[in-house]
Amino acid sequence: MDDEGARGVRGTGADRVPRPPAGVPLPPAVPPKVPGTGAPPSGQPWGPRSGEPEAPRVPAIPPPAGPPAAHLTGPTPPPPTEQPPASLDVWLRTPRPRAAPGVWRFGFTPRPPEQGEEVSDRSLVVGAVITLLSALLLWSLWRNGYLPYRLVPLKLFTPGEWWNPGTSGGPRTIEGSDALTVYEAFLFGLLVYGSGRIGNFSELFRRHVVDRGQPFLALAAAVAAGLTQLLVWKEALPVVRPVLVLVAAVAGGEIYQSQTVVNIIYGLIAAAVLWPFARLGRWRELVAARRGTATPPPADDPAPATETSADRWPELRAAGWTDAAETLTAEVRTGRMNDVDVARLRHAWAEATRSPDRLAPLAEAVLRTGGAAALHPSGRRDLPRRTARHDVLTGQVRIGRCAEDPHNPYARRSTGLALDPTLLGTSLLAVGPPGSGKSDRLVRPVVEALGLRALAGQAAVLAVGGAGAPLGPDEAFDVVVRVGNPASAHDLDLYGGTSDPDEAAAVLAEGLVGDVGSLDSRRAATVLAQLLGPYRAAHGHFPSVPELRELLDGAPAALAGLRATLEAAGHHAMLRELEARARQAGAPGDPAPVLADRVALLDRPAFAGFFATGPDARPFELRSLGQYPLRVRVDLPERGHAEASRLLTRLLLAQFTAITAARTDTTLFAGLVLDDATHAVTAETVRGIRRLRSVNAGAVLTLRTVDDVPEPLHTPLLGAVGCTAAFSGITTWDGKRFAEAWGKEWVETREVAQHTVFADQPFTRALHALRKLVTGKAVTTDAVTVRQVEKERWSASELAYAVPAGHAVIRLTTVDGEYAPPLLVELGGR
C-alpha cells in the first residue's frame, strides 16, 4: 500500500470512505459511500447517535489494492466462495437446531442411539440354521402325529361330534377335516413367526441381502418368491387348502362350481404370496429407476418454503414492511444476495427495532438498493476468498470433524466441530509444535469467521502475526499495519488512543516490562505516568519513541526543556510529578533504566517514522476496535527484531484487554487473534483475559509449548481460558498440564481373572485331559469384577503419543457455562 506523504507519517486520507458511526453500524437512509460511486446523497449520516459524544479519530478504511470489484458498484454481489446448498433460499431454510457446544449446527441431525455389540456373522448364521432345523423338526413331528395332545385346543372350541373319541382321535366328519386344515395353517404361521424372531432372520437378511443393494436385493427376493410359490402349489406349505376352506365356509361350497371364480381365487393366492417378496425386494423402486421416473429424494431442500420460512423475511412482514420483505425475497431467489448480506440485514433490522425511528430509513434503503442496504463502511459484501466452511447466520466456522475414537462420546463421533462467538468469548489457547496446523487450520478460519461477522456489523477483529503469517490477504482487512515496512499505509499508536496518562502508562508498562518477573509493573507504570502526564500537559500529546527514551534516560536537556514549558504554562501539579521523577531517578530499584532499554528496542532505524505522535500523525488507534466493525491485521517484524515483536505483541494484548474492559457499548464482539503469543502473556493480561467474557470479547492465543509462558502463569492461564486445544506433537510435560486442567471422569472397568478348574470325578478329569490335549490349554473359569474408578479424560502419554498427525484434542466452554469434554478432532475433516 502506498505512502500518501503525510509528512513522513503513515496514514490515509479521511475522504476516501465516510467515517462509520459509533457502536454497531446502523442502517442509514442511503448506502454509505463506496469507492468509485461518488458521494452519497443527503440523508441520515454515518455519525454518532444523538446525545453521544463525538467518536475518537479513526483512520479511514482504504479500499483494497487492485481494481475495484464490479459488484461493489451495482446491486449484484459476488456469490459466496463456499455455499453448502444449491441456492441461498435453500440455505436459509436449512434447519439449525440447538445442539451441544461446538456442534456444527447447519443441517445437523443427531446420531441414532448407540446399538449394543453386534452379533458376529458366524453366530448369526449358525443361530439361523439351528432355528430353521428345529422348526422343520417340530413341524415334521406335528404332521406325523408324534406330538401328544396336539388336537386338544381345537376340540375345546369345536363340536364333539366332529371328532373320534380320545385325545388323539382324528376328525370324524368333513367339518372336522376342514377345521384341522385351518388349525394347521394357523399353527404353521405361528411357527414361522416365532422361528423368524428367534433365529433373527431379519438381521441376517439386512446384512447379507439389503446392504448389497440393487439389483441383488430384487433378484434375491425374486428367487425366494419363486421357491415359496413352488412350495405353496405343491402343498408343502399349508396355504392353498386353508384358503379354499375359509372361502367355502363364508361363501358356500357352490362357489367352486364356477371355474372362473376358482381361477380368480388361485390368482389372489399367488398375488398374496408374491406381495411380501415384492415389498422386501423393492421391485417398484427398481422399475421406476430403470424407467427414469423415480422421484429424487428432497435432500437439497430439507425444509420446503412456507410463508414463515426464513427466505420470506417474516420479521419484516410481521412489522408491516411487506414491500421491503418482498424486495429481499426476490433478491434472495434471483441470486443477487449472498449469506453475508442476509446476516448483515438481519442484524441491521434487529438493531433498528431498538430505535423505531431507524426502521423507516432501513426499509427505504432496502426498497432502493435491495441487498446492498446498510453496507459495511468498506463497501465490501464478502471476503475475497474463504478457506473454511462458514455459517454466517449462526457465526460458526467448521474446523474439523470429531474422530471415531473411544475417547469421544458416542453422540459426538463423526459430527462436525465448529467455533462461534459464544465459545470464543471464553478465549481459546492452542498449543502445538510448528507444522501441527495451528495457523492454517485454526487461526485462519477463526479470522475469516470474525471478518465475515465484521462485514455483517456484528464483530471487530484484530489479527496479529509475523510478516507472511497465513492470516488472510490484504483485501480481507480494512486496516493493515506493517510494522517496520516503509510501504505500510498505517502506523501504530503505542498508547492505544487514550488521553489519560495513567491509563496509557499502565498499558505501556505492561507491554514494556510485563515479562520481567523481578520488576513490579505498577512501579514501572508510576514512572511512566510521571513523564507522560507532564509531557502531554506541555505539548498536548504523548511523546514519541525517541523523546520517551530520552526522558527515561534522564537526559538533562529533555528534562530541562519540559520543565521550562510546564513553568511557562503554569502546570504546577505536573511540575510536582516531574520533580518527583527527578528525585527518584538513580535510586536502587529504579525501573527507568529497564524501561529505557525496552523502549530502545523500538527506537531503531527500521522503525523510523513509526509510532509517531502529534497533531500531524495518523496512527491507527486500537481503541476504535471496540466501537466499529473493523478488520485489522498487524504484521510484526520477526526477522532481526524478535524481541521488539514480542514487546509489541504484549503491548497489543494489554491494550486489547484494557480497551474492551473499559467500553460501555458491548454490542460488537471484539476478537483478538495472536498467531504466536510467545512471551506475550503476563500476570495482568491473564487477569484481563479472564474478564473478556463479561464484555462480549475474546482472545485466541497460540503457543509452541506451554513453557513459552512463565511457569507461575501456567495454571492461571489454563484456568482463565474456557477453550483449550492440544495439537499433535506436544510433549508429555505439556500433556500433563492439559490432563490436569481437563480433570478426571468416572468410568466402568472390568477385570477378568482366570482360575484353573480342578475336577473331582474321574470322567470329568478325563474330559478335561482330552480338552487340554486338543487345545493345549488347561480348563479355566473367568471371574469378572466390575468397578467404578476415576480416570483422566486424556493422560499425558496419550496426548503426546496417541494424537495422530492433523488432529487435535479440543475442549470447549461457552460463555453461559456449557461445556464439551475434550474431543479428538480431525482438523479440516468433512
Side-chain angles (χ1 to χ4, degrees):
M1 305 177 77
D2 298 332
D3 184 351
E4 297 185 4
R7 298 190 181 181
V9 181
R10 288 131 189 95
T12 55
D15 56 346
R16 301 177 66 175
V17 178
R19 183 177 59 193
V24 178
L26 297 179
V30 295
K33 180 182 176 183
V34 180
T37 61
S42 60
Q44 182 178 355
W46 281 82
R49 300 184 180 96
S50 59
E52 293 185 354
E54 180 69 19
R57 174 170 49 86
V58 182
I61 303 174
H71 68 272
L72 293 182
T73 60
T76 304
T81 305
E82 182 178 357
Q83 186 170 298
S87 58
L88 186 63
D89 54 345
V90 175
W91 177 82
L92 273 171
R93 293 195 298 269
T94 302
R96 295 165 175 85
R98 291 190 176 275
V103 172
W104 174 250
R105 293 170 51 191
F106 180 82
F108 171 70
T109 54
R111 298 190 69 183
E114 186 175 7
Q115 301 293 332
E117 186 176 353
E118 280 193 345
V119 181
S120 64
D121 289 345
R122 178 179 179 180
S123 300
L124 197 62
V125 172
V126 170
V129 171
I130 292 176
T131 304
L132 180 61
L133 294 178
S134 301
L136 291 176
L137 176 62
L138 185 61
W139 182 246
S140 177
L141 294 175
W142 165 268
R143 293 296 297 269
N144 292 288
Y146 289 106
L147 296 179
Y149 310 108
R150 65 190 184 97
L151 298 179
V152 172
L154 180 61
K155 292 180 179 181
L156 292 176
F157 296 95
T158 54
E161 59 268 16
W162 290 4
W163 311 97
N164 292 318
T167 58
S168 301
R172 177 188 299 177
T173 63
I174 295 177
E175 290 83 358
S177 298
D178 293 343
L180 180 59
T181 300
V182 176
Y183 180 58
E184 286 183 345
F186 176 73
L187 292 180
F188 180 78
L190 291 179
L191 180 62
V192 170
Y193 176 77
S195 301
R197 294 296 301 270
I198 296 174
N200 207 0
F201 284 93
S202 60
E203 179 65 16
L204 185 66
F205 180 76
R206 184 189 64 80
R207 286 194 196 180
H208 299 283
V209 180
V210 176
D211 289 351
R212 299 184 65 173
Q214 299 284 16
F216 182 81
L217 174 61
L219 181 61
V223 171
L227 179 61
T228 304
Q229 291 279 9
L230 178 63
L231 295 176
V232 166
W233 296 112
K234 289 293 183 180
E235 295 191 4
L237 300 179
V239 175
V240 177
R241 287 180 60 84
V243 171
L244 295 177
V245 169
L246 290 175
V247 172
V250 174
E254 295 81 2
I255 194 174
Y256 295 122
Q257 294 179 359
S258 172
Q259 187 62 39
T260 302
V261 173
V262 173
N263 292 337
I264 292 175
I265 293 175
Y266 284 167
L268 292 176
I269 293 173
V273 173
L274 194 64
W275 179 78
F277 294 98
R279 291 288 303 273
L280 290 176
R282 301 173 185 173
W283 294 351
R284 183 177 180 181
E285 297 178 9
L286 180 61
V287 172
R290 295 293 183 182
R291 293 180 178 178
T293 60
T295 303
D300 292 338
D301 194 357
T306 62
E307 289 297 325
T308 59
S309 56
D311 61 320
R312 298 278 297 171
W313 300 86
E315 60 272 20
L316 272 70
R317 298 179 188 275
W321 300 98
T322 307
D323 293 341
E326 290 293 342
T327 300
L328 293 180
T329 301
E331 293 270 304
V332 168
R333 294 183 176 177
T334 56
R336 293 196 295 269
M337 291 179 65
N338 62 9
D339 54 351
V340 179
D341 294 331
V342 173
R344 186 187 67 251
L345 289 173
R346 281 191 166 190
H347 177 71
W349 182 264
E351 289 295 314
T353 53
R354 301 176 184 177
S355 302
D357 58 319
R358 295 179 179 267
L359 290 176
L362 175 60
E364 293 174 3
V366 169
L367 291 174
R368 185 168 54 255
T369 60
L375 275 178
H376 185 264
S378 66
R380 290 294 187 184
R381 298 168 69 173
D382 201 354
L383 296 178
R385 181 173 179 267
R386 303 186 191 182
T387 60
R389 294 183 62 185
H390 298 270
D391 185 18
V392 187
L393 283 187
T394 59
Q396 287 190 313
V397 54
R398 179 166 176 155
I399 62 173
R401 179 182 62 88
C402 296
E404 287 281 354
D405 187 86
H407 286 92
N408 292 343
Y410 170 79
R412 299 301 298 268
R413 297 173 191 172
S414 299
T415 61
L417 189 84
L419 299 176
D420 58 65
T422 62
L423 297 171
L424 298 177
T426 64
S427 298
L428 185 148
L429 174 67
V431 179
S436 59
K438 301 189 302 298
S439 298
D440 294 330
R441 300 182 181 182
L442 178 65
V443 171
R444 176 72 180 271
V446 169
V447 173
E448 285 183 1
L450 294 178
L452 289 172
R453 289 188 68 83
L455 291 177
Q458 304 174 38
V461 56
L462 171 64
V464 182
L471 300 178
D474 294 353
E475 295 81 4
F477 296 92
D478 304 315
V479 176
V480 178
V481 179
R482 297 183 177 91
V483 180
N485 188 342
S488 176
H490 292 276
D491 196 0
L492 188 65
D493 188 355
L494 294 180
Y495 307 100
T498 182
S499 58
D500 184 359
D502 293 328
E503 181 181 350
V507 175
L508 185 58
E510 196 64 33
L512 292 176
V513 295
D515 60 329
V516 181
S518 59
L519 182 60
D520 187 358
S521 59
R522 290 174 296 181
R523 292 189 59 195
T526 301
V527 171
L528 288 172
Q530 291 173 341
L531 296 174
L532 297 181
Y535 190 94
R536 180 174 180 81
H539 301 282
H541 59 82
F542 291 121
S544 62
V545 170
E547 294 168 333
L548 180 60
R549 181 183 180 184
E550 291 181 354
L551 293 175
L552 290 171
D553 281 332
L559 293 175
L562 180 57
R563 184 179 295 107
T565 305
L566 291 173
E567 291 176 351
H571 294 292
H572 302 291
M574 292 302 171
L575 276 173
R576 288 196 299 270
E577 286 283 292
L578 190 61
E579 294 299 332
R581 171 85 288 270
R583 289 193 301 270
Q584 297 170 5
D590 183 17
V594 180
L595 291 169
D597 292 340
R598 289 300 178 89
V599 173
L601 295 173
L602 304 178
D603 189 19
R604 306 297 302 162
F607 305 133
F610 283 83
F611 317 119
T613 58
D616 296 331
R618 295 300 302 270
F620 170 72
E621 298 174 356
L622 194 62
R623 183 171 297 273
S624 59
L625 195 70
Q627 302 171 353
Y628 310 117
L630 294 176
R631 301 167 296 163
V632 183
R633 192 188 78 204
V634 177
D635 294 342
L636 301 177
E638 291 186 343
R639 294 184 179 180
H641 301 279
E643 192 61 33
S645 297
R646 295 171 183 172
L647 187 154
L648 292 174
T649 303
R650 282 195 305 273
L651 179 60
L652 290 172
L653 178 57
Q655 287 184 357
F656 180 83
T657 56
I659 290 170
T660 53
R663 62 178 182 161
T664 57
D665 185 2
T666 59
T667 306
L668 281 176
F669 177 83
L672 169 68
V673 181
L674 294 182
D675 187 49
D676 184 6
T678 302
H679 301 293
V681 179
T682 64
E684 184 60 32
T685 54
V686 168
R687 287 188 286 269
I689 290 173
R690 191 178 290 114
R691 294 191 297 264
L692 291 179
R693 70 172 65 188
S694 62
V695 292
N696 196 22
V700 177
L701 314 177
T702 66
L703 297 171
R704 295 181 176 90
T705 174
V706 181
D707 289 331
D708 289 339
V709 176
E711 185 173 358
L713 297 179
H714 290 175
T715 300
L717 177 60
L718 289 172
V721 297
C723 303
T724 48
F727 283 69
S728 60
I730 65 172
T731 64
T732 53
W733 290 273
D734 287 342
K736 180 181 179 181
R737 297 181 180 96
F738 279 107
E740 293 175 350
W742 292 339
K744 300 179 180 181
E745 62 180 344
W746 289 98
V747 297
E748 184 180 274
T749 61
R750 297 170 58 91
E751 297 179 358
V752 181
Q754 293 184 339
H755 303 283
T756 304
V757 177
F758 298 97
D760 297 331
Q761 302 298 325
F763 181 72
T764 307
R765 285 200 298 268
L767 289 179
H768 287 186
L770 178 61
R771 180 175 175 180
K772 184 176 181 180
L773 180 63
V774 174
T775 62
K777 299 180 180 179
V779 179
T780 60
T781 182
D782 294 340
V784 181
T785 303
V786 180
R787 296 188 304 172
Q788 292 283 339
V789 299
E790 198 175 20
K791 181 184 176 183
E792 290 178 330
R793 300 178 185 272
W794 281 83
S795 67
S797 298
E798 287 174 329
L799 288 172
Y801 302 113
V803 179
H807 290 65
V809 181
I810 303 177
R811 180 188 182 275
L812 302 174
T813 305
T814 67
V815 292
D816 296 328
E818 298 182 66
Y819 69 92
L823 302 170
L824 179 62
V825 180
E826 179 187 357
L827 299 171
R830 299 297 180 183

